[in-house]
Structures are given as structure tokens and as C-alpha cells.
Amino acid sequence: MLIQNLSPLASSLFSLLAIASLLLSFVMLGSRWLKNYLYAFAAESWIIAMLSAAVGYYGSYPELYLIAILTLLFRGLLLPYLIWRIIRRLEVDREIQVVVQPSSSLVIGALFVMFALAVSFRVAAEFHLELTVAVLALTVMLSMKLIGFVMLAVRHEAITQILGLLVLENGIFLGSQILVPGMPLLIELVILFDLLIIVACFGVLVSYLLRHVGSTSTLSLKRLVG
Amino acid sequence: MTGALILVLCAAPFVALVGCLVLRGPRICEALNLLAGAVSFACALPLPFLVHGRELLFWDGYVILDGTAAWVVLCTSIVYFLASIYAIGYMRLLGEEERLHRFYALFAGFGLTTLVGPFMNNVGIYWIAIELTTLVSTFLVAFERVAESMEAAWKYIMVVSAGISLALLGTVLFYWCGTFVLGPTYQMTWAALTDAAPRMDRVLLVLAFLLVLVGYGTKVGLAPMHSWLPDAHSESPAPVSAMLSGALLNTAMLGIVRFLRITRAADLGLLPQMVLVAFGTLSLFVGAVFIVRQQGIKRLMAYSSIEHMGVVALGFGFGGALGVGGALYHMLNHSLNKSLMFFGAGNMMRAYGTKEIARIAGVGRHFPVQGALWLAGAVAITGAPPFGLFLSEFTIMRAGLKPSFSWAVYAMAILLIVIFIGFLNHFRSMYFARNEGEAAPARGVTAWCSVPMWLAFAPILVLGLWWPAGVWTYLTSLAQFLSPGVP
């Protein structure tokens, strides 16, 4: 196992990168501007690419360098570019109606991180890994998941929801780089392409929404009930 | 031989997909899609006979054929075939000739992804196949290009993608579980996980299983993750509704069943089954509440799908030969019957020009033959004898009669009775109530739209009167395979 015999330097590097990406998801949670979401997402993807490369270097998994480059290209450049194109077409640049204030959603996010930490600690204790980076990786994985769901639940712009979904995926990807670096290359590649298709589909749907519903706020989607 | 069958089975819709995009003529696209449906069905039919209780692997172990996959693929291909016939008649009524080739390309793509999913031996690739079904079918849901179907499509892709990302997290955790036993890099096949399961850590396995259950449960439409289902089923064109309900839900259920088998091998006690039973009971409850008060005809069918997926979940949760066998049998019956119901609902919707139950009246008088057939289907879907669903629901109930699950059986019995009354009450109002200013149906029904209903109805009736011994042996052998060690 990579996790059990990491050098202190590698361990702190992994921790630093994981914490940084968690902080970036809090940036998304605390902002109302779509541009900020996009920058935070792009930066998060760059950090994940760095993490892949670092894991590849310290764990001697050469195929992770490929993953790092592809993550950089796809998640770090192509996806933000596609989303930027969608944003440019819209006439919205921030969340207009806010159900939960950004400050309150930050608090909710913090509570979820605590919950994630408790769960990860319990799981890691099973393997006697409490003192390793595994706890942190699992915590970040679960809390980015939960923060993504908070974004889906309390924000209404279509773009925010797409980015919320991508945060969900980023969390999984980040955690899996540290926890299961030996995961077969094929799956990681296919998941990357899958993401691309998802964003393309969303792009088409957003333009449909604009044309046929006249708004990209999910608050206006309330015809179907019961 | 078997490998070639699987190849043809999956190649047929792919050829239709490419053909529709290249040729673009509406009539030729119809024909291509129908041909693909027929070929897939013809190839899927012999598969259960070729398995003989083994796991057959093809193409370096990426493709698996086991009894469960063969059964689910058979259900899927039946629905795909019937829906392809029905689509010809139904889609001509929509007057979207110039976009029709896109519909058939997407429809074949939807058929392709749902047929391919069950064959995937790698757990990660299975996840991707399920995700692809969502992406393709979203555009089918949005096909009618009105505000309602856009809303349904958006909710569908949002809820299901978010839900299924939980399944991905669960899958990664399953992989992590396996690394402690099998080393850092291994092929994550269903068999590898099942073999390693007894030596895996239990706490992590429970966490991973719950995530996977919620994730694929979203796709299956188990309550409380069902919120996308009524919208997507009611706003898509009727052949797509039939595919969503009869084919897609089963394909996703297969994932839950296979993960359940892994937890069985790990001997996690009753917890995984109990959670599945709880979701099943809740789905029945939600189905019952919304069926009683329903106003839309296709939403009524959609909530009935939630109910029936709840019944299937209960069957797998109860386990044993009766539970698993009954649940698999119920999948087949439900696929046939729900196709019949959605086809009928689509016909009535087009004839009366409304989706509201209150504005449909005198179905029996205006459509004596077709109306009688649809009414018989309604009686069948509520689980009344002498139809197949009665047998399978009854079998599942018998499976649950053990101390730990008896509460669920009582709940199931009461809720099924409520659903029986509520569902048929809507049909009473559509058939026998006298409405003032009742709208006369605008047009009749073509053979394309009525023949698939008969094709679906005949086997439901036969399966209700006569449960072939061979089928029962087949299903019990699957039960042995899926839940070993349970009588």
C-alpha cells in the first residue's frame, strides 16, 4: 500500500493539495458570482492534476503522469472553456435569488466537513490508518461530495448546478488518486471522456431551456408536480 | 456461438443508430430501428437457454453472460422490440417528420446502452454504461421541445447524475476494499469482488454498499430518490416512457442485485437486505399515496412503475429462491405489462388530446376492443389474477414470511390493496363515468399502435395461467447463484 509507507514530505504535500481543493469548494459555496465558481473549479482541477502527478512520482505509478496531463487538459482547460462559453451565451452573471445566504451555506458546509471527518475516522480506524493521509483523503472526498450536494440544493442557476455536479466528480477523483492510485487506467480514462459528454449534453440542454422555458433558473421549473 | 449472439445483439441497435444518422429518411429510419429491435429480440431469446448456470466470459473478460444478465437483457429486448413497433405508429402522429431520424438514432442509442449495460463485467464500466443511458435518454425525454418536457429532462439528468455519482463513490470504495485483499491493481470484476468479499473489511463494505444502493436506487426510482421518474415518464413520447420504465429500471436494478450478492458473500448479516426492504416498502407507500390522488394518465403509470420497482426490491431484499425467483419473474411481467399500459396511455392521450384523466371519458364506448385490452392490462398491473403479476407478487409475499421481514409483507399487502382500489378507480372514471361536455376522441388507432399491445398482453395472460416448470428451475438456479446458502 502506498499510504502506509509515505515519506513525511510526500504526506504533507498530499495533505496540502487535498486541503487546497477543499478550500476552493468553499470558495464556490461562499460566492454568488458564476465567474468565481468557474475559476474555483478550474483551479481545483489544476490542483487535482498536480496531485495525480505527485502520487505518480512518490508511488512510482508512471501511468498517473498521463492521467495528470489529461486531467489538466480536460478538467482544467476544456471543461472550464465549455462552461465559459455557456455562461457567455447567458445573460446571467450571478445567482439572483438566494434561498440560503452564502454565509449560512458556508456554515452548513463546515458542518458537513465535520460529519465527513467523523465517518472517515471511523473507517480509517478499521484499517489502523488513523494517523495517515488516508483520513484526510477520505474526508475531502466525502465533504466535497456533500458540498456539491449543498450547491445543487440551494443554488438555482443551471450553470451552478452543472458545476455542483462537477464538484461531486472532482471529489471522487481526488480521493481515488490518493486511496486507490493503482485503479486501472482504462476506467479513469473513460470517466474523463464521460465528463466531457456530460458537459456537452448540459450545454445543449441549457440552450433548450433558454429557448423553450425562457430562463435558466431552476426556480422557473415548477410545472410538473404531484 | 454465444459470443456471436451477444455481438449481433449489441451490433444491431448500433447499426441502426449509425444508419439513422446517415440516411435520415423518416421511413427508412423506422424500418432500421424496427429491424434492430427484432434482431436484438431474436438474439436475446436463446441466451437464457445457453447459460446453464455458468458465468461465460468473452473478450478478455470484459463481457460477462450469466443467468441474471441473460434474463434482464431478455426483458430489455422485449420492450425495445415492442416499443420499436409502437414508435412507428405513435411518432407519425407527432408530425415531426424532419426530426424523426434524430429520434430513431437516439432511440436505437438508448436501446444499445440499456442492452450493453448488463453484459459489462467490469464494475466501473457498468457504471459508465448506466450513466450513458441517462445521457442518451435525456434527449429523448426532451424530444417534444415544450417547456414541460424541458423541465422533465433537466430534472432527470440533474437528479440521476447526482445520484449516480454516489454509486461511483461507492464503486471506488469497493475497489479500495479490494486493494487490501487483492493488491493495489486488479481487474474490478463482479467475480473478483465476490471472491474477495469474505476477507474485506465490513465497516467499509457497509458504507460502500449503502452508497451504491442509493446511487443505483436513484436510477431504479426507489423512493425517496424517485423524484425524477414521474416527470421523465410522463413528458417523454410514449414509446420512450415504455423503454424507461420497462427496460432502463431493470438494467439499473441488476447493479443493485450484483452488489447485494457481494455483500452476501461477505456475510454482513441482515443489514443490506433490510435497507433494500425498507426502500422497497417506502416506494410502495409513495406509489400508493400518489396513485390514489393522481390526475395525469402517464404520471399514474409512472407512479405504478415506482410501486413495481418497490415490489422487485422487496423480492430481492427478502432473498431465497422464492424472493429472488419472484422478483426476476416480476421484472419480466412488469416489463410486458407496463409497455402495454404506456402504449394504451399514449393512444388515449393522442385520441383525446389530453393527459388529464378527468378529460378522458367513455373509453370503452369509443374503443371497444382496444379499450377492453387496456382495461385488462390495468387489472393485470394492479396484481389481480389471472395474470402474471399476481403470481410473482404472491411469490414475493410468500418469500417474506419469516420473522425478520413479516412487517414488510403486511405493509406490502395493505399498500397493494390501496393501489388496486386507487388505480382501478381512475379507470372506472375513464370508462364508466358520465361527464358533461365530454370530448369525443379525435381519431382512431392504427395497427402499429395496437399490435404491440396484443403482443404484450398475450404473454402476461399465459404466464399468469401457466408458470412453465423450466422457467421456475431457471429462476431458482439464479436464486442459488445470487443468494447462496439461503433456502
PDB file of all heavy atoms in Angstrom, chain A residues 23-37:
ATOM      1  N   LEU A  23     -10.722  23.834   0.184  1.00  0.00           N
ATOM      2  CA  LEU A  23     -10.949  25.267   0.371  1.00  0.00           C
ATOM      3  C   LEU A  23     -11.594  25.882  -0.865  1.00  0.00           C
ATOM      4  O   LEU A  23     -12.483  26.722  -0.766  1.00  0.00           O
ATOM      5  CB  LEU A  23      -9.623  25.967   0.652  1.00  0.00           C
ATOM      6  CG  LEU A  23      -9.146  25.888   2.096  1.00  0.00           C
ATOM      7  CD1 LEU A  23      -7.820  26.597   2.241  1.00  0.00           C
ATOM      8  CD2 LEU A  23     -10.192  26.522   3.005  1.00  0.00           C
ATOM      9  N   LEU A  24     -11.147  25.442  -2.045  1.00  0.00           N
ATOM     10  CA  LEU A  24     -11.711  26.003  -3.275  1.00  0.00           C
ATOM     11  C   LEU A  24     -13.188  25.678  -3.396  1.00  0.00           C
ATOM     12  O   LEU A  24     -13.969  26.475  -3.929  1.00  0.00           O
ATOM     13  CB  LEU A  24     -10.942  25.482  -4.481  1.00  0.00           C
ATOM     14  CG  LEU A  24      -9.613  26.187  -4.686  1.00  0.00           C
ATOM     15  CD1 LEU A  24      -8.773  25.463  -5.700  1.00  0.00           C
ATOM     16  CD2 LEU A  24      -9.856  27.621  -5.130  1.00  0.00           C
ATOM     17  N   SER A  25     -13.604  24.513  -2.900  1.00  0.00           N
ATOM     18  CA  SER A  25     -15.044  24.247  -2.978  1.00  0.00           C
ATOM     19  C   SER A  25     -15.792  25.145  -2.004  1.00  0.00           C
ATOM     20  O   SER A  25     -16.959  25.469  -2.241  1.00  0.00           O
ATOM     21  CB  SER A  25     -15.368  22.766  -2.783  1.00  0.00           C
ATOM     22  OG  SER A  25     -14.543  22.190  -1.863  1.00  0.00           O
ATOM     23  N   PHE A  26     -15.120  25.567  -0.921  1.00  0.00           N
ATOM     24  CA  PHE A  26     -15.764  26.546  -0.052  1.00  0.00           C
ATOM     25  C   PHE A  26     -15.868  27.910  -0.728  1.00  0.00           C
ATOM     26  O   PHE A  26     -16.815  28.650  -0.480  1.00  0.00           O
ATOM     27  CB  PHE A  26     -15.006  26.669   1.278  1.00  0.00           C
ATOM     28  CG  PHE A  26     -15.515  25.712   2.302  1.00  0.00           C
ATOM     29  CD1 PHE A  26     -14.897  24.498   2.507  1.00  0.00           C
ATOM     30  CD2 PHE A  26     -16.640  26.019   3.033  1.00  0.00           C
ATOM     31  CE1 PHE A  26     -15.383  23.608   3.437  1.00  0.00           C
ATOM     32  CE2 PHE A  26     -17.130  25.134   3.969  1.00  0.00           C
ATOM     33  CZ  PHE A  26     -16.502  23.924   4.171  1.00  0.00           C
ATOM     34  N   VAL A  27     -14.886  28.215  -1.574  1.00  0.00           N
ATOM     35  CA  VAL A  27     -14.984  29.462  -2.339  1.00  0.00           C
ATOM     36  C   VAL A  27     -16.259  29.461  -3.173  1.00  0.00           C
ATOM     37  O   VAL A  27     -17.003  30.434  -3.220  1.00  0.00           O
ATOM     38  CB  VAL A  27     -13.746  29.639  -3.243  1.00  0.00           C
ATOM     39  CG1 VAL A  27     -13.954  30.793  -4.208  1.00  0.00           C
ATOM     40  CG2 VAL A  27     -12.512  29.868  -2.405  1.00  0.00           C
ATOM     41  N   MET A  28     -16.519  28.319  -3.807  1.00  0.00           N
ATOM     42  CA  MET A  28     -17.753  28.208  -4.607  1.00  0.00           C
ATOM     43  C   MET A  28     -18.978  28.399  -3.737  1.00  0.00           C
ATOM     44  O   MET A  28     -19.947  29.040  -4.121  1.00  0.00           O
ATOM     45  CB  MET A  28     -17.842  26.840  -5.250  1.00  0.00           C
ATOM     46  CG  MET A  28     -16.854  26.607  -6.333  1.00  0.00           C
ATOM     47  SD  MET A  28     -17.387  25.138  -7.200  1.00  0.00           S
ATOM     48  CE  MET A  28     -16.049  24.915  -8.301  1.00  0.00           C
ATOM     49  N   LEU A  29     -18.920  27.807  -2.558  1.00  0.00           N
ATOM     50  CA  LEU A  29     -20.079  27.837  -1.676  1.00  0.00           C
ATOM     51  C   LEU A  29     -20.333  29.257  -1.178  1.00  0.00           C
ATOM     52  O   LEU A  29     -21.477  29.656  -0.969  1.00  0.00           O
ATOM     53  CB  LEU A  29     -19.810  26.893  -0.494  1.00  0.00           C
ATOM     54  CG  LEU A  29     -20.980  26.218   0.166  1.00  0.00           C
ATOM     55  CD1 LEU A  29     -21.821  25.514  -0.868  1.00  0.00           C
ATOM     56  CD2 LEU A  29     -20.474  25.222   1.185  1.00  0.00           C
ATOM     57  N   GLY A  30     -19.269  30.033  -1.019  1.00  0.00           N
ATOM     58  CA  GLY A  30     -19.421  31.348  -0.413  1.00  0.00           C
ATOM     59  C   GLY A  30     -19.638  32.472  -1.414  1.00  0.00           C
ATOM     60  O   GLY A  30     -19.785  33.620  -1.028  1.00  0.00           O
ATOM     61  N   SER A  31     -19.671  32.160  -2.688  1.00  0.00           N
ATOM     62  CA  SER A  31     -19.782  33.218  -3.681  1.00  0.00           C
ATOM     63  C   SER A  31     -21.129  33.159  -4.386  1.00  0.00           C
ATOM     64  O   SER A  31     -21.814  32.143  -4.346  1.00  0.00           O
ATOM     65  CB  SER A  31     -18.666  33.090  -4.703  1.00  0.00           C
ATOM     66  OG  SER A  31     -18.874  34.000  -5.747  1.00  0.00           O
ATOM     67  N   ARG A  32     -21.477  34.307  -5.011  1.00  0.00           N
ATOM     68  CA  ARG A  32     -22.710  34.316  -5.808  1.00  0.00           C
ATOM     69  C   ARG A  32     -22.420  34.530  -7.270  1.00  0.00           C
ATOM     70  O   ARG A  32     -23.341  34.551  -8.080  1.00  0.00           O
ATOM     71  CB  ARG A  32     -23.637  35.408  -5.307  1.00  0.00           C
ATOM     72  CG  ARG A  32     -24.289  35.067  -3.996  1.00  0.00           C
ATOM     73  CD  ARG A  32     -25.026  36.245  -3.432  1.00  0.00           C
ATOM     74  NE  ARG A  32     -26.168  36.621  -4.250  1.00  0.00           N
ATOM     75  CZ  ARG A  32     -27.099  37.480  -3.849  1.00  0.00           C
ATOM     76  NH1 ARG A  32     -27.012  38.037  -2.667  1.00  0.00           N
ATOM     77  NH2 ARG A  32     -28.097  37.784  -4.650  1.00  0.00           N
ATOM     78  N   TRP A  33     -21.155  34.758  -7.611  1.00  0.00           N
ATOM     79  CA  TRP A  33     -20.822  35.097  -8.988  1.00  0.00           C
ATOM     80  C   TRP A  33     -20.438  33.844  -9.769  1.00  0.00           C
ATOM     81  O   TRP A  33     -19.615  33.055  -9.338  1.00  0.00           O
ATOM     82  CB  TRP A  33     -19.680  36.102  -9.012  1.00  0.00           C
ATOM     83  CG  TRP A  33     -20.085  37.386  -8.375  1.00  0.00           C
ATOM     84  CD1 TRP A  33     -19.986  37.696  -7.056  1.00  0.00           C
ATOM     85  CD2 TRP A  33     -20.709  38.484  -9.019  1.00  0.00           C
ATOM     86  NE1 TRP A  33     -20.514  38.935  -6.828  1.00  0.00           N
ATOM     87  CE2 TRP A  33     -20.960  39.453  -8.008  1.00  0.00           C
ATOM     88  CE3 TRP A  33     -21.089  38.764 -10.332  1.00  0.00           C
ATOM     89  CZ2 TRP A  33     -21.575  40.659  -8.294  1.00  0.00           C
ATOM     90  CZ3 TRP A  33     -21.691  39.970 -10.599  1.00  0.00           C
ATOM     91  CH2 TRP A  33     -21.928  40.902  -9.598  1.00  0.00           C
ATOM     92  N   LEU A  34     -21.045  33.686 -10.936  1.00  0.00           N
ATOM     93  CA  LEU A  34     -20.785  32.493 -11.738  1.00  0.00           C
ATOM     94  C   LEU A  34     -19.325  32.412 -12.145  1.00  0.00           C
ATOM     95  O   LEU A  34     -18.743  31.336 -12.196  1.00  0.00           O
ATOM     96  CB  LEU A  34     -21.670  32.490 -12.985  1.00  0.00           C
ATOM     97  CG  LEU A  34     -23.174  32.454 -12.729  1.00  0.00           C
ATOM     98  CD1 LEU A  34     -23.926  32.362 -14.041  1.00  0.00           C
ATOM     99  CD2 LEU A  34     -23.560  31.299 -11.842  1.00  0.00           C
ATOM    100  N   LYS A  35     -18.709  33.565 -12.438  1.00  0.00           N
ATOM    101  CA  LYS A  35     -17.295  33.577 -12.828  1.00  0.00           C
ATOM    102  C   LYS A  35     -16.419  32.978 -11.732  1.00  0.00           C
ATOM    103  O   LYS A  35     -15.512  32.217 -12.001  1.00  0.00           O
ATOM    104  CB  LYS A  35     -16.848  35.018 -13.121  1.00  0.00           C
ATOM    105  CG  LYS A  35     -17.258  35.507 -14.498  1.00  0.00           C
ATOM    106  CD  LYS A  35     -16.166  35.198 -15.525  1.00  0.00           C
ATOM    107  CE  LYS A  35     -16.666  35.220 -16.949  1.00  0.00           C
ATOM    108  NZ  LYS A  35     -17.323  36.452 -17.356  1.00  0.00           N
ATOM    109  N   ASN A  36     -16.733  33.348 -10.477  1.00  0.00           N
ATOM    110  CA  ASN A  36     -15.942  32.817  -9.364  1.00  0.00           C
ATOM    111  C   ASN A  36     -16.049  31.304  -9.285  1.00  0.00           C
ATOM    112  O   ASN A  36     -15.071  30.612  -9.041  1.00  0.00           O
ATOM    113  CB  ASN A  36     -16.426  33.403  -8.035  1.00  0.00           C
ATOM    114  CG  ASN A  36     -16.087  34.862  -7.913  1.00  0.00           C
ATOM    115  OD1 ASN A  36     -15.485  35.416  -8.836  1.00  0.00           O
ATOM    116  ND2 ASN A  36     -16.456  35.478  -6.824  1.00  0.00           N
ATOM    117  N   TYR A  37     -17.261  30.811  -9.492  1.00  0.00           N
ATOM    118  CA  TYR A  37     -17.440  29.355  -9.488  1.00  0.00           C
ATOM    119  C   TYR A  37     -16.508  28.723 -10.509  1.00  0.00           C
ATOM    120  O   TYR A  37     -15.854  27.725 -10.255  1.00  0.00           O
ATOM    121  CB  TYR A  37     -18.867  28.973  -9.882  1.00  0.00           C
ATOM    122  CG  TYR A  37     -19.944  29.428  -8.949  1.00  0.00           C
ATOM    123  CD1 TYR A  37     -21.252  29.546  -9.399  1.00  0.00           C
ATOM    124  CD2 TYR A  37     -19.677  29.698  -7.617  1.00  0.00           C
ATOM    125  CE1 TYR A  37     -22.251  29.956  -8.560  1.00  0.00           C
ATOM    126  CE2 TYR A  37     -20.673  30.108  -6.770  1.00  0.00           C
ATOM    127  CZ  TYR A  37     -21.959  30.244  -7.244  1.00  0.00           C
ATOM    128  OH  TYR A  37     -22.963  30.637  -6.413  1.00  0.00           O
TER     129      TYR A  37
END
